[in-house]
Amino acid sequence: MIIEKAGKILEEHNLCNHCLGRMFAKLGKGTNEERGRAIRLVLSMEINKEIEEPKNCEICNGIFKRMSEFLNLALEAVKDYEFETFRIGSRFPREILEREKEIWEKFSITTGEPINREFNRELGKMFAKATGKVPSERPDIVIILDPFSRKVELQVNPIYIAGRYRKLVRGIPQTPAPGFDESVATIICRIFKRYFNGKCIFKGAGREDVDVRTLGRGRPFVVEIKNPRKRNVDLKIIEEEINSSRKVEVLELRFINSEEAEKILTTRHRKLYEALVYVREGITREEVTKVVKSLRGATIRQRTPRRVLNSRSDLVRIRKVYDAEGEYLDEHHFKLKLLTDGGLYIKELISGDRGRTKPSVSEILGKEAWCELLDVLDVLEEDENVKGNSREV
């Protein structure tokens, strides 16, 4: 039945061995070209006359005879990129795909393979052999070729790198802001951009104010490198160059995938803070103890602070203080160390923000209190215990 159907197809259509064999791609083993050549040979033997392969195939227009040309186009397109894995894609004119589909429908072909699939596979095999690179479903680079226009498009998949940053000085925003020459993001990204030769996008797991330092193990962050031309980069060298700024340090840099990046950025991290609190009316050791006892284990109802209302929705957030410690310094100052949920505004937890945060240090004391200095001492991982670990308050 295969030979009979193939004979009827060739009576009406001029097809090369590739396109003929592709009509029966789901049957047997071997390439479509081998399959088509075998079918043509059997048909020739039956009529005792050679059925020659046409010079001009009405489906593919001879593209399978030009595969070396397409390979060279692909090789030229990727010559400036480092990559280990790849995938070949293609774009065919609609009329080519419809012409093939019409023949399938006309002769009730149910065993066929689309022309673009064969093209991708055959070019992929040639590309792998020529470069030593590995085909993959999650590749570093996707090469999309239009064999009729000879245009090549590259889709270079981004690189994701995770780490933690320490902001060692005050007066630097996390991301670029008007009035500031640099930021945590620009200090980090200018090094990544230079080494990976791509666009760097910085994303922090939460943020701190301009006047707040981030110390200890630092805050988790992710950088996404779009359209990287370099991939084989020693992250230790990047760490050293960033850390030489003496303003921002990075540590624990590692390559990750997009799913890991999403988890890092969406996980709500508990944080350990240290604040220098000022009380104009004066403070006693007993009052410091009172603040600590009142805040330890407290549930905080915090309406969006007035200072960020222009960029945050006005709503009430429920957050928890897990632990607290206090240290009396002088009649107007004490240190307050707090382990809290992420997303709790510490400055407003101290001041009360005109009653928008309850309870607050000001409310507990019955006196106005302000945060003069604030540091992030640690950002806990999701699986770290609040109690019983080395970072317990």
Side-chain angles (χ1 to χ4, degrees), residues 96-115:
I96 298 294
L97 302 175
E98 290 179 349
R99 191 180 305 158
E100 181 172 63
K101 187 177 179 181
E102 287 172 1
I103 296 176
W104 286 13
E105 293 175 350
K106 183 177 181 179
F107 293 95
S108 301
I109 298 296
T110 59
T111 55
E113 177 185 47
I115 185 173

Side-chain angles (χ1 to χ4, degrees), residues 23-292:
M23 301 285 171
F24 310 98
K26 296 179 182 178
L27 303 175
K29 297 181 179 180
T31 68
N32 288 329
E33 196 276 335
E34 292 169 343
R35 191 175 288 107
R37 187 169 66 247
I39 291 172
R40 196 181 301 275
L41 176 61
V42 173
L43 286 172
S44 297
M45 292 172 63
E46 282 190 348
I47 64 173
N48 197 27
K49 180 182 177 181
E50 184 177 359
I51 302 176
E52 295 183 354
E53 185 178 18
K55 292 182 179 180
N56 297 313
C57 174
E58 65 182 69
I59 291 182
C60 75
N61 291 333
I63 63 167
F64 288 101
K65 297 184 185 300
R66 299 164 52 203
M67 295 301 284
S68 295
E69 173 189 335
F70 302 136
L71 172 62
N72 289 334
L73 288 174
L75 294 173
E76 178 66 20
V78 302
K79 66 179 182 180
D80 295 327
Y81 290 86
E82 288 182 351
F83 63 98
E84 296 302 324
T85 57
F86 73 94
R87 189 170 77 236
I88 298 291
S90 58
R91 289 196 174 93
F92 277 75
R94 181 180 298 177
E95 59 267 23
I96 298 294
L97 302 175
E98 290 179 349
R99 191 180 305 158
E100 181 172 63
K101 187 177 179 181
E102 287 172 1
I103 296 176
W104 286 13
E105 293 175 350
K106 183 177 181 179
F107 293 95
S108 301
I109 298 296
T110 59
T111 55
E113 177 185 47
I115 185 173
N116 56 328
R117 189 174 300 171
E118 179 182 11
F119 180 86
N120 297 349
R121 180 178 62 253
E122 296 304 315
L123 185 57
K125 289 191 292 187
M126 295 173 66
F127 189 87
K129 184 177 180 180
T131 62
K133 307 302 182 181
V134 181
S136 171
E137 288 302 310
R138 299 187 66 173
D140 295 333
I141 194 166
V142 180
I143 306 156
I144 302 172
L145 196 145
D146 184 331
F148 290 86
S149 69
R150 301 178 76 253
K151 291 181 179 179
V152 182
E153 175 187 335
L154 298 181
Q155 293 179 357
V156 184
N157 285 331
I159 295 171
Y160 295 93
I161 298 163
R164 284 174 170 257
Y165 76 82
R166 289 158 38 93
K167 191 174 83 173
L168 305 179
V169 297
R170 307 185 194 278
I172 299 179
Q174 186 191 69
T175 54
F180 295 91
D181 294 332
E182 57 186 358
S183 66
V184 173
T186 56
I187 291 172
I188 289 175
C189 273
R190 65 186 174 216
I191 307 300
F192 276 99
K193 181 179 179 180
R194 176 153 53 85
Y195 276 93
F196 285 93
N197 197 0
K199 181 180 179 181
C200 176
I201 299 175
F202 173 93
K203 301 173 185 177
R207 58 194 306 131
E208 69 283 329
D209 289 340
V210 171
D211 59 346
V212 175
R213 296 183 301 178
T214 298
L215 307 175
R217 296 180 301 164
R219 182 184 298 277
F221 74 95
V222 172
V223 292
E224 178 184 358
I225 312 296
K226 290 183 176 292
N227 198 37
R229 291 178 180 264
K230 302 295 181 182
R231 289 179 178 267
N232 303 318
V233 176
D234 186 345
L235 297 182
K236 281 295 182 185
I237 295 177
I238 289 183
E239 279 190 19
E240 291 172 2
E241 287 212 25
I242 293 173
N243 296 352
S244 67
S245 72
R246 301 187 182 278
K247 298 176 181 178
V248 174
E249 290 182 353
V250 296
L251 56 155
E252 301 178 12
L253 293 183
R254 66 192 187 281
F255 291 99
I256 58 171
N257 57 39
S258 58
E259 290 80 11
E260 291 172 300
E262 180 71 15
K263 182 178 180 181
I264 290 170
L265 297 173
T266 56
T267 297
R268 178 158 289 167
H269 299 268
R270 292 173 178 173
K271 299 179 179 69
L272 179 62
Y273 296 94
E274 184 175 79
L276 177 63
V277 181
Y278 171 73
V279 184
R280 184 173 58 189
E281 296 178 41
I283 187 75
T284 66
R285 296 181 187 276
E286 292 73 21
E287 286 175 318
V288 172
T289 300
K290 179 182 178 182
V291 168
V292 168

